[in-house]
Amino acid sequence: MDDTHKPTKLTNEVGAPVPDNENAITAGPRGPVVMQDVWLMEKMAHFNREVIPERRMHAKGWGAYGTFTVTHDISRYTKAAVLQPGAVTPTFTRFSTVAGERGAADCERDIRGVATKFYTTEGNWDLVGNNTPTFFIRDVHNFSDLNRAVKRDPRTGRRSAQNNWDFWTLLPETTHQVTITMSDRGIPASFRNMDIFGEHTFSFYNEANERVWCKFHLKTQQGIKNLSDAEAEAINATNREYHGQDLFEAIERGDFPKWTMYVQIMTEEQARAHYENPFDITKVWLHKEFPLIEVGVLELNRNPENYFAEVEQAAFTPAHVVPGIGFSPDRFLQGRLFAYGDAQRYRLGVNYNEIPVNRARCEVNEYHRDGFMRVDGNYGAAPAYTPNSYDYWTAQPEVAEPPLELEGAMWRYDPKDDPTDDCFRDAGLLWKVMTEDKRAILVDNTARNIAPCTPNIKYRHATHCYLADPEYGERLASAMGIDLAKVRELAELDHAGLVEATLSERM
Ligand code: HEM
């Protein structure tokens, strides 16, 4: 805290001196407290309102400021100022677990959220990603259910492996992400030792308004390091804030973590000819087909001064893009574009973008008016409407992104009905590139994690893994102690047949 503003003298919330902050005013030395102790009333009333709703998911998190420096030229793809050669942009990044509540331990088996706000000269750009290249599910309808399945059971109030695995295994597109979550990467040794991915397909457009599709990857310069279940268990028993402490202390001692940003680029023509849906978040784009193109370096170099003000009140949304960066037809991304702002208007209030950590560092003229906690002058006497005759609030058509051709009738399409869809290919490819020790860890972690579940769920998961790679399914079946011949039989069925055959009353 700045010493010139050191609050040495205690006042109430409107600046009047507080004479005593230890002894309540009582009627007589042993009598009851009186309402007239208005400072006491103020203090208690404020305390009662100090807790705000936690994020529905990603509730436990840690943050740090930094800079993003562009080291390579990708201007042929995007006109975004933040991605032009040499640009240096201030940032704020928040790391989180997904399933645990605000008080949960850091070292749980889970994916990690990583949200970075780039305070660019053209407005804030938020890259709200995870430490995995893909996601469990691909239709926005499934998102709230995913969270209900991994969070607490409505009856017991406890987390439930049965709910979690029941949901995962009824959606075969989860197989790849479940494989990653159960692998050695399921518990990173620190936030500094993991990669970061935007996961979705986004778009870039350049000065000539030509569009390409892109994916973001940030590779750790600290190297990948992970914890085993046993190591994590021992840490959680004594230190629930292990990852937050590691990040804070590294930055305090000047050991600034860095990630190299890369993009993968797919042209619109390549997307049309791609062998599967390039906008399906459960699928990767293979590096050998769409190589990584280096962009720049994200460095985290300053800790927040106040956890609540800067980390808890930070609000990110994939809807925040800047000219040169856009969305894609990814149906999962489209759902996210609504969800975050809606959650933040509830969690922080309608004027949440005025909170300093969220405030853009360029001129902001959004012309929204009023609302709870409007503290910036509310645009004074400027007209509150457009169009107006006074040259206020004119739109800027020069930044409009190129139009996007779409095809097909409006309908509820199930991606599994697309003949190019393969829910198991990516998990199979991952199994093939894993070394023997990683395969053994994956099988061991999965068997331990799924152990409390009923047999039908174990059969379903082993079948999916078998379809990804027969060896993966066979080793898992053996580790889970289920009948391999039965798994092979189930693997012959289509999705509906497998679901039917593994309903709980059937097994
Ligand atoms: C349709 C799918 C999704 C929906 C509806 C959704 C919704 C949300 C909501 C409502 C929050 C809390 C926001 C807040 O209170 O500030 C949140 C947090 C978050 N989500 Fe998602 N999410 C989805 C998928 C994803 C995916 C695919 C990723 C990663 C690529 C992701 C990464 C994150 C991260 C990192 C946070 C924490 C942000 C922070 O640190 O404040 N989410 N999500």
Side-chain angles (χ1 to χ4, degrees):
M1 172 166 296
D2 181 350
D3 262 359
T4 52
H5 296 111
K6 189 171 168 193
T8 48
K9 304 250 189 241
L10 184 66
T11 74
N12 69 7
E13 15 183 66
V14 287
V18 170
D20 187 338
N21 194 29
E22 309 285 334
N23 303 297
I25 305 175
T26 53
R30 295 187 181 183
V33 173
V34 296
M35 289 289 286
Q36 193 182 314
D37 194 342
V38 289
W39 167 240
L40 177 65
M41 303 304 146
E42 178 184 314
K43 190 173 162 183
M44 288 200 297
H46 192 277
F47 180 74
N48 287 348
R49 289 162 180 77
E50 278 172 8
V51 178
I52 61 170
E54 64 177 38
R55 291 164 179 82
R56 185 67 185 91
M57 67 299 302
H58 296 268
K60 175 77 184 294
W62 305 102
Y65 295 94
T67 47
F68 177 66
T69 307
V70 179
T71 52
H72 290 66
D73 187 355
I74 59 161
S75 59
R76 64 191 178 285
Y77 301 123
T78 176
K79 64 179 182 182
V82 59
L83 297 175
Q84 297 313 301
V88 180
T89 302
T91 60
F92 181 76
T93 297
R94 180 175 178 273
F95 298 91
S96 49
T97 47
V98 181
E101 294 87 358
R102 199 146 47 187
D106 283 349
C107 296
E108 290 185 351
R109 180 165 299 282
D110 196 352
I111 56 174
R112 291 335 187 247
V114 191
T116 297
K117 193 177 289 296
F118 299 78
Y119 302 95
T120 91
T121 53
E122 301 172 305
N124 286 353
W125 169 42
D126 294 350
L127 184 60
V128 193
N130 284 328
N131 68 333
T132 56
T134 59
F135 200 65
F136 294 98
I137 48 175
R138 53 191 171 184
D139 194 288
V140 58
H141 263 293
N142 294 135
F143 185 76
S144 47
D145 300 272
L146 169 70
N147 285 284
R148 287 178 175 180
V150 303
K151 283 173 166 274
R152 292 179 188 270
D153 178 83
R155 180 169 190 211
T156 64
R158 298 196 304 269
R159 297 236 207 131
S160 157
Q162 177 79 5
N163 296 353
N164 193 340
W165 283 96
D166 186 34
F167 178 83
W168 278 350
T169 56
L170 285 166
L171 297 170
E173 65 268 31
T174 64
T175 310
H176 181 222
Q177 179 83 335
V178 171
T179 300
I180 298 173
T181 309
M182 291 299 133
S183 77
D184 60 321
R185 294 203 182 193
I187 317 179
S190 78
F191 297 135
R192 299 182 296 130
N193 293 111
M194 62 188 205
D195 291 341
I196 304 168
F197 302 87
E199 294 191 355
H200 294 281
T201 299
F202 294 90
S203 57
F204 277 153
Y205 48 102
N206 62 14
E207 284 295 351
N209 247 12
E210 296 157 333
R211 176 188 287 110
V212 290
W213 306 115
C214 66
K215 280 187 185 278
F216 294 97
H217 301 246
L218 288 99
K219 298 249 169 225
T220 173
Q221 292 189 9
Q222 291 69 238
I224 300 278
K225 282 192 203 144
N226 303 303
L227 298 172
S228 67
D229 274 349
E231 286 168 329
E233 214 170 283
I235 292 169
N236 285 339
T238 55
N239 185 352
R240 302 170 69 75
E241 272 68 53
Y242 185 78
H243 285 163
Q245 183 180 349
D246 172 85
L247 180 69
F248 187 90
E249 289 180 354
I251 293 174
E252 284 301 281
R253 67 174 179 267
D255 179 6
F256 300 143
K258 295 187 187 65
W259 288 261
T260 311
M261 182 192 278
Y262 299 87
V263 288
Q264 285 180 292
I265 299 290
M266 189 186 280
T267 63
E268 288 186 288
E269 208 180 343
Q270 284 173 316
R272 280 189 287 271
H274 197 50
Y275 50 81
E276 60 188 353
N277 180 1
F279 308 114
D280 178 336
I281 191 176
T282 62
K283 312 279 201 295
V284 292
W285 295 357
L286 294 180
H287 291 190
K288 62 173 191 261
E289 294 167 5
F290 300 94
L292 295 182
I293 299 168
E294 194 165 342
V295 181
V297 177
L298 174 69
E299 175 187 274
L300 300 185
N301 49 30
R302 181 163 64 88
N303 281 314
E305 279 300 304
N306 184 281
Y307 180 86
F308 179 85
E310 293 154 273
V311 184
E312 192 62 11
Q313 294 198 116
F316 305 85
T317 166
H320 286 164
V321 289
V322 289
I325 304 175
F327 312 123
S328 80
D330 176 343
R331 53 169 78 185
F332 207 60
L333 174 59
Q334 293 285 330
R336 294 180 72 198
L337 302 182
F338 162 75
Y340 289 71
D342 184 57
Q344 288 146 6
R345 286 178 196 104
Y346 160 68
R347 183 166 72 81
L348 300 162
V350 67
N351 287 310
Y352 67 95
N353 279 314
E354 311 238 336
I355 297 170
V357 67
N358 300 327
R359 183 127 188 108
R361 308 227 179 131
C362 60
E363 194 177 329
V364 177
N365 292 325
E366 29 70 350
Y367 106 120
H368 303 317
R369 285 287 168 91
D370 311 348
F372 283 116
M373 306 303 289
R374 185 85 205 201
V375 293
D376 68 341
N378 203 21
Y379 295 119
Y385 60 90
T386 79
N388 62 64
S389 308
Y390 313 104
D391 197 24
Y392 277 90
W393 324 118
T394 49
Q396 305 178 62
E398 63 280 10
V399 301
E401 62 180 292
L404 176 65
E405 298 277 343
L406 296 173
E407 57 187 42
M410 186 164 70
W411 180 244
R412 294 186 188 278
Y413 295 94
D414 181 343
K416 289 194 290 302
D417 295 337
D418 177 340
T420 70
D421 186 53
D422 184 339
C423 292
F424 309 112
R425 185 194 290 128
D426 284 357
L429 290 175
L430 180 56
W431 173 265
K432 282 180 192 59
V433 300
M434 278 183 171
T435 51
E436 174 45 38
D437 59 326
K438 306 255 185 232
R439 289 180 183 179
I441 293 171
L442 166 64
V443 168
D444 190 44
N445 286 344
T446 309
R448 194 168 37 253
N449 209 281
I450 206 171
C453 301
T454 49
N456 60 327
I457 290 174
K458 293 180 186 169
Y459 275 103
R460 239 186 262 145
H461 188 53
T463 305
H464 288 162
C465 297
Y466 184 87
L467 290 166
D469 188 299
E471 189 199 356
Y472 181 15
E474 284 161 12
R475 286 178 59 175
L476 201 52
S478 144
M480 294 192 300
I482 60 173
D483 177 7
L484 179 56
K486 177 91 191 148
V487 171
R488 290 198 179 114
E489 242 172 68
L490 291 170
E492 296 296 319
L493 302 172
D494 64 6
H495 173 67
L498 176 63
V499 170
E500 176 66 22
T502 54
L503 287 174
S504 54
E505 68 266 24
R506 300 264 150 105
M507 291 191 132

